[in-house]
Amino acid sequence: MQRIIIPILLLTLTTFQGIAQQRQRPIKISGKVIDSDSGQPLEYATFVLQNADSPDQVTGGITDISGNFEVEASPGTYNISVEFISYKTYSLQGQSYNSNTNLGSITLSPDVAQLAEVEVVGEKTTVEVRLDKKVYNIGKDITTSGGNVSDALGNIPSVSVDVEGGISLRGNDNVRILINGKPSALAGFGSTDVLQQLPADAIEKVEVITSPSARYDAEGTAGILNIVLKKEKTLGINGSVNLTGGIPFNARATTNFNIRTEKFNIFNTLGYFHRESPGGGFNDNTYLSEQSEFDRIYEDRDISRNDDGFNINLGMEYFLTEKSSITGSFFYRWSDENDLTENDNQRFVDGSINSRTFRTEDQAEKDNSRQFSFNYTNNIDDDGQKLTADFQYSYDNEDVLTIIREDRSIPTDSLIALENIYEKQKQDDILAQIDYVLPLGDAQFEAGYRGTFEKEVNDYQLDTLNQGTGNFITNQDLTNIFTYNENVNALYTQYGNKYGKFSVLLGLRLENTELRGEVDASIDSQALEELVGEDVDLNFDKNYLGLFPTVNLVYEISKTQNISLGYNRRINRPRGWFINPFPSRSSRTNVFQGNPDLDPAFANAFDLGYMKRWKKITFTSSVYYQRETQSFEFITENTGQSTSDGIQIIRRVPINLSTNERIGAEAGMIYSPAKWWRMNGSFNFFTFSSDGSFNGVDYGTTNSSYFARLSSKFTLPGKIELQANSFYMGPRQNAQTESDPMFSLNLAVSKDLFDDKATLSLNVSDLFNSRKRRSFTQTPTFTSDSEFQWRQRQVNLSFIYRFNQPKEQRQRGGRQGGGDDDEGQY
């Protein structure tokens, strides 16, 4: 009996001991969170695990880029919940877990009740930090109501927009602008002017990508701004009408219209604008060389613009199956711009006026752009395997006639010059792209190809009046046809995974760049050598092959804070107008000239970021460093030539300097002291240094600058909202030019009408009329003091009416096959 009892007791003891040890050993609870409509993973959703016996014991985690989560806990009984902004909370009570458990896919549905609440939708969360970018949901910024895309970008942290509409990221203007993740005619052809023609209310969100992953173009040493435009997914017929009028006279009408069924989605946008934008400035040049006939020349400019434009975007998304769809769209833009610049020139000798002239530049530009886009999307399975293919063709045609007349009034009245400039620019762009995503458990693999093929033809003719015969004569030295080709073929692959609290995204992109230029002109060799230099070849064919690695890491300190680290290599390719060697004629004495000898610049960039969320505060910050070789720098020099009346001609030209190093830090904070009050502020400080020489002159320099913005918004009784946005740009300096600081303030008030179906807004842009660029340039032969204002203070009154659309509805994407947010349509 003893032989039987003892083994049984020992076996029982061992069993209980094993059970006790098993209960003490942690288990893993995992799963995946997806959108109930689109089936797409939800990144940064919160998984909460609460001990049912001890409610104070709470643990949890945040989903990664693939929507996956994994939490360690002791065996026991738990209440679980999954939460995500503007989605209904998923919860289960009293669940027993005694071993590793995979909960599978947990689907969350949008909370329609929340979507209708003003204080929640587009307001509660403005920034999302992801492995390779920050996503800013535009929400309801009433200061840009009736404004354009450039106005909206000016309110995004890290982004600044200068007085001419030029966009920079962290003080660096070499930023790549994408629309829905792709180069687009909607963003213009190498120019940001078109963004001033598109309405701000077309934007869903803006992705600030300072450490781009390998799936993005390597173009843009500063990084990428991806503008994601709205795409309505609500079943039925819906849309909106937006009307705007302003002073100086400004009128805009935009309509959005959608028809959505279970099988297709038809979307359409129409827009028309008329804009009058007065501006102006001055140049005060003092000449130090004894060769100059004048000691000082003062140019006072007034600019009046009278522009009209129309655009239409029409497309349809057709769902082939529950998981696949094709989308086709057509975009057309037409504009008729008429700009008149009047330039009063005063020339001094020994402090007294020697002569005075009046110059007018009357420019009429007609622009037609077309873009055809096709997309195929196949969500192969529910795990996230996906294949997409895109084809895009864009065509742009610009016809410009500029009449330049200059008359002398002192000492005598006479005609100095009368010129007609005919310019035709045609550009063809083709984009072909294919991307494949393969989930591998918690990991994800991506690979793809993108080819972009651009051809730009500039036809330039200058006719000058022969006062002796009264006939116009073509200037053969400046008349030319310049053809520029840029072809880029790229292959990429990237791999992402999560290891505990670390998320990793590694990528490699291979790009081949071909740059070709060809000039058809009758200019003689001596004049050509004087124009561009002895060793410059106007007919060139350059080829560059480069590898562009990317590394992005995120460490989750807790569910409310993380640290990120990014590295990437980038390229800056010269645009067509950077290359074209024939000078502009906007001024006889101050000209811009391209440099056909420009090579691409390459940069290595590092970014270290930190984000922390509290109940009412979201704080983001980063420190960044960039080293760029063969960087572009615009230098100003005396050409050694003079006008017919003895004025030295000064030119501004881009060159490749040796290196450019930039280091900076930025911080941003979103704070909601109360439901009716919201504040948003950011600060960016950077310092950069460059070295290099050109034509025997050393252009090395070191400079520090900063910019800051602060926005405050108040929700008042009676559905009234007030908002103020302020921006300050600190002083800055390059090798030759010092720029003064600049401050601007925008104010707005809005009221909801007709059961929130309509909104009336009044806003003032640049309240103090202080958005002016002041700068001072000094060279060994001359100094130049200048001021320029692109647009005066603007007052707009806007009215928007929505039908079958919740106010400020957040777009979620429709059913499977509808595409992700990056593929939205305008």
Side-chain angles (χ1 to χ4, degrees):
M1 178 65 69
Q2 186 179 9
R3 293 180 181 179
I4 298 176
I5 293 176
I6 291 176
I8 292 176
L9 291 175
L10 290 175
L11 179 60
T12 303
L13 180 61
T14 303
T15 301
F16 280 108
Q17 184 179 4
I19 293 174
Q21 289 177 352
Q22 185 179 10
R23 288 183 176 178
Q24 293 173 0
R25 186 184 303 122
I27 61 173
K28 293 182 179 180
I29 300 175
S30 59
K32 183 174 185 176
V33 181
I34 62 175
D35 184 295
S36 62
D37 290 337
S38 66
Q40 297 299 311
L42 295 178
E43 185 181 9
Y44 289 104
T46 303
F47 175 76
V48 178
L49 197 63
Q50 181 188 47
N51 193 308
D53 300 323
S54 302
D56 293 337
Q57 296 181 12
V58 180
T59 186
I62 298 176
T63 57
D64 60 17
I65 192 173
S66 300
N68 297 314
F69 65 87
E70 184 177 271
V71 175
E72 287 190 352
S74 299
T77 303
Y78 292 92
N79 302 325
I80 66 171
S81 64
V82 182
E83 301 174 353
F84 194 68
I85 297 295
S86 296
Y87 280 80
K88 295 179 180 179
T89 299
Y90 172 92
S91 62
L92 289 175
Q93 305 295 315
Q95 302 298 303
S96 296
Y97 300 115
N98 296 314
S99 60
N100 293 343
T101 303
N102 189 326
L103 300 178
S105 294
I106 298 175
T107 59
L108 297 186
S109 301
D111 190 336
V112 179
Q114 278 195 356
L115 290 175
E117 295 178 9
V118 177
E119 66 270 19
V120 175
V121 180
E123 300 293 336
K124 190 169 184 180
T125 298
T126 305
V127 59
E128 301 172 23
V129 178
R130 301 188 180 177
L131 272 171
D132 59 344
K133 58 194 170 187
K134 292 185 179 119
V135 182
Y136 293 93
N137 298 302
I138 295 300
K140 187 192 175 190
D141 187 346
I142 59 177
T143 62
T144 61
S145 181
N148 53 52
V149 170
S150 289
D151 296 329
L153 291 178
N155 290 333
I156 300 295
S158 305
V159 180
S160 57
V161 181
D162 66 19
V163 294
E164 296 176 275
I167 297 168
S168 61
L169 184 59
R170 293 173 167 174
N172 188 343
D173 59 6
N174 182 226
V175 55
R176 180 70 155 166
I177 308 293
L178 303 178
I179 301 290
N180 299 326
K182 305 178 189 67
S184 173
L186 277 71
F189 295 90
S191 168
T192 58
D193 295 345
V194 176
L195 298 179
Q196 300 178 29
Q197 300 178 18
L198 298 177
D201 58 10
I203 302 177
E204 168 69 16
K205 60 187 177 184
V206 176
E207 297 178 344
V208 178
I209 311 173
T210 52
S211 184
S213 67
R215 74 173 305 196
Y216 292 103
D217 287 337
E219 172 72 28
T221 55
I224 294 172
L225 288 178
N226 182 29
I227 302 170
V228 179
L229 302 177
K230 293 177 179 177
K231 184 180 183 182
E232 183 58 54
K233 286 293 190 175
T234 306
L235 289 175
I237 299 176
N238 54 81
S240 64
V241 178
N242 194 338
L243 304 175
T244 299
I247 302 173
F249 186 70
N250 167 45
R252 181 188 296 274
T254 305
T255 64
N256 293 278
F257 184 77
N258 283 77
I259 302 176
R260 172 66 193 270
T261 71
E262 290 291 339
K263 202 63 180 175
F264 62 83
N265 180 27
I266 297 177
F267 48 90
N268 171 249
T269 299
L270 290 172
Y272 170 80
F273 76 89
H274 175 83
R275 180 179 60 226
E276 297 177 9
S277 302
F282 67 81
N283 274 351
D284 192 352
N285 296 342
T286 300
Y287 296 90
L288 310 176
S289 172
E290 295 181 356
Q291 299 177 354
S292 175
E293 182 178 340
F294 302 100
D295 303 332
R296 176 188 171 207
I297 297 178
Y298 183 83
E299 299 182 0
D300 188 10
R301 295 191 303 276
D302 284 320
I303 304 173
S304 59
R305 303 180 184 87
N306 196 324
D307 304 335
D308 292 273
F310 168 81
N311 61 75
I312 179 174
N313 191 70
L314 176 64
M316 184 177 76
E317 181 178 18
Y318 182 77
F319 305 109
L320 300 171
T321 67
E322 285 294 318
K323 298 182 180 296
S324 63
S325 68
I326 56 173
T327 302
S329 65
F330 169 72
F331 171 77
Y332 174 76
R333 183 185 67 249
W334 166 86
S335 64
D336 185 3
E337 303 180 10
N338 295 273
D339 299 346
L340 177 63
T341 302
E342 298 177 324
N343 196 333
D344 184 7
N345 294 265
Q346 302 177 52
R347 292 131 185 192
F348 296 83
V349 175
D350 296 329
S352 300
I353 293 181
N354 177 270
S355 63
R356 187 170 186 171
T357 65
F358 187 77
R359 173 187 171 94
T360 61
E361 180 181 339
D362 191 356
Q363 183 180 84
E365 177 179 339
K366 296 184 183 297
D367 187 1
N368 289 273
S369 295
R370 301 172 181 85
Q371 178 174 290
F372 300 89
S373 301
F374 300 94
N375 167 264
Y376 170 75
T377 299
N378 189 348
N379 293 285
I380 299 172
D381 56 36
D382 294 335
D383 294 328
Q385 187 177 188
K386 184 177 182 180
L387 176 68
T388 59
D390 293 273
F391 177 82
Q392 185 172 284
Y393 172 73
S394 305
Y395 172 79
D396 181 67
N397 183 32
E398 294 182 11
D399 286 316
V400 183
L401 170 61
T402 306
I403 301 174
I404 300 177
R405 179 186 178 105
E406 189 160 3
D407 295 274
R408 181 184 291 111
S409 58
I410 296 177
T412 59
D413 292 335
S414 61
L415 174 65
I416 297 177
L418 179 59
E419 299 176 343
N420 292 334
I421 301 175
Y422 304 91
E423 296 176 87
K424 292 185 177 181
Q425 178 177 307
K426 296 181 179 180
Q427 182 162 336
D428 291 272
D429 286 39
I430 295 176
L431 178 146
Q433 179 176 338
I434 186 168
D435 298 281
Y436 174 68
V437 178
L438 176 64
L440 301 170
D442 293 337
Q444 182 167 291
F445 169 80
E446 293 185 47
Y449 161 82
R450 173 181 286 185
T452 55
F453 310 94
E454 303 178 8
K455 180 181 180 181
E456 180 181 321
V457 180
N458 291 277
D459 189 342
Y460 182 93
Q461 178 179 324
L462 171 63
D463 291 352
T464 303
L465 178 68
N466 185 320
Q467 297 190 46
T469 64
N471 297 322
F472 282 91
I473 300 175
T474 299
N475 185 327
Q476 298 297 335
D477 288 343
L478 293 179
T479 296
N480 69 93
I481 299 176
F482 180 66
T483 302
Y484 181 66
N485 289 270
E486 178 185 294
N487 300 325
V488 181
N489 288 278
L491 294 171
Y492 82 91
T493 182
Q494 65 183 22
Y495 174 81
N497 204 346
K498 186 172 183 179
Y499 305 93
K501 294 186 176 182
F502 278 98
S503 296
V504 181
L505 185 61
L506 307 176
L508 185 64
R509 189 177 185 91
L510 174 68
E511 286 195 352
N512 176 257
T513 301
E514 181 187 24
L515 305 178
R516 296 201 315 267
E518 181 181 349
V519 172
D520 182 5
S522 57
I523 183 172
D524 62 62
S525 58
Q526 182 178 354
L528 181 62
E529 182 177 321
E530 292 177 356
L531 181 67
V532 299
E534 183 178 358
D535 301 325
V536 177
D537 186 5
L538 297 184
N539 300 306
F540 58 87
D541 189 347
K542 301 179 180 180
N543 207 290
Y544 306 88
L545 182 66
L547 283 173
F548 300 90
T550 62
V551 179
N552 289 286
L553 308 173
V554 172
Y555 175 70
E556 298 172 4
I557 301 174
S558 69
K559 65 180 182 180
T560 59
Q561 60 180 328
N562 62 55
I563 297 175
S564 61
L565 176 65
Y567 160 76
N568 63 96
R569 185 171 186 256
R570 310 290 294 164
I571 185 174
N572 182 7
R573 304 181 185 94
R575 307 305 302 171
W577 65 282
F578 278 35
I579 297 289
N580 194 333
F582 292 89
S584 69
R585 300 289 289 181
S586 57
S587 169
R588 291 195 306 136
T589 57
N590 294 274
V591 300
F592 175 86
Q593 183 174 350
N595 178 9
D597 204 30
L598 269 184
D599 292 319
F602 294 88
N604 291 280
F606 299 85
D607 188 289
L608 177 64
Y610 171 76
M611 186 195 74
K612 170 71 174 175
R613 298 181 191 271
W614 291 272
K615 185 176 181 180
K616 295 184 177 182
I617 300 175
T618 299
F619 174 77
T620 60
S621 62
S622 64
V623 177
Y624 53 91
Y625 169 79
Q626 181 186 89
R627 186 177 189 272
E628 183 176 345
T629 58
Q630 291 293 96
S631 61
F632 301 160
E633 183 75 31
F634 291 92
I635 61 104
T636 305
E637 64 177 4
N638 195 324
T639 63
Q641 301 175 348
S642 300
T643 63
S644 58
D645 48 350
I647 304 174
Q648 293 185 19
I649 299 176
I650 298 169
R651 72 171 180 176
R652 188 167 178 257
V653 60
I655 63 172
N656 287 113
L657 277 182
S658 177
T659 61
N660 183 312
E661 290 188 323
R662 182 183 300 265
I663 185 170
E666 63 178 350
M669 185 176 67
I670 303 169
Y671 176 46
S672 299
K675 285 186 176 181
W676 51 269
W677 184 14
R678 178 182 180 81
M679 301 177 66
N680 187 339
S682 64
F683 179 83
N684 192 306
F685 174 85
F686 58 91
T687 180
F688 64 88
S689 61
S690 61
D691 64 80
S693 60
F694 182 70
N695 288 344
V697 179
D698 183 7
Y699 290 100
T701 184
T702 300
N703 178 48
S704 297
S705 187
Y706 59 92
F707 61 89
R709 54 170 46 87
L710 178 64
S711 174
S712 192
K713 184 175 180 181
F714 304 89
T715 302
L716 305 180
K719 298 182 178 180
I720 296 175
E721 292 185 335
L722 299 176
Q723 186 173 338
N725 289 352
S726 59
F727 176 80
Y728 180 81
M729 173 72 75
R732 57 184 58 195
Q733 177 181 347
N734 62 19
Q736 296 177 309
T737 303
E738 298 178 358
S739 299
D740 290 347
M742 181 175 61
F743 172 80
S744 64
L745 176 66
N746 301 337
L747 294 179
V749 58
S750 74
K751 176 172 174 55
D752 294 332
L753 304 168
F754 310 132
D755 296 326
D756 294 344
K757 292 181 179 179
T759 301
L760 185 67
S761 303
L762 176 67
N763 64 65
V764 183
S765 177
D766 193 12
L767 179 66
F768 300 114
N769 203 36
S770 56
R771 197 169 177 82
K772 302 176 182 179
R773 183 182 63 208
R774 288 293 308 269
S775 61
F776 180 77
T777 299
Q778 184 167 9
T779 75
T781 58
F782 71 92
T783 64
S784 179
D785 189 14
S786 65
E787 177 182 283
F788 180 75
Q789 183 179 29
W790 175 261
R791 182 179 65 181
Q792 296 179 6
R793 174 177 47 236
Q794 180 77 43
V795 181
N796 284 334
L797 180 66
S798 299
F799 176 79
I800 182 170
Y801 182 81
R802 298 169 288 271
F803 55 94
N804 297 333
Q805 278 188 347
K807 181 186 175 185
E808 293 299 317
Q809 178 171 336
R810 293 186 64 177
Q811 314 299 318
R812 290 296 176 191
R815 50 186 278 178
Q816 297 177 14
D820 56 27
D821 287 338
D822 291 343
E823 306 297 334
Q825 298 293 332
Y826 170 51

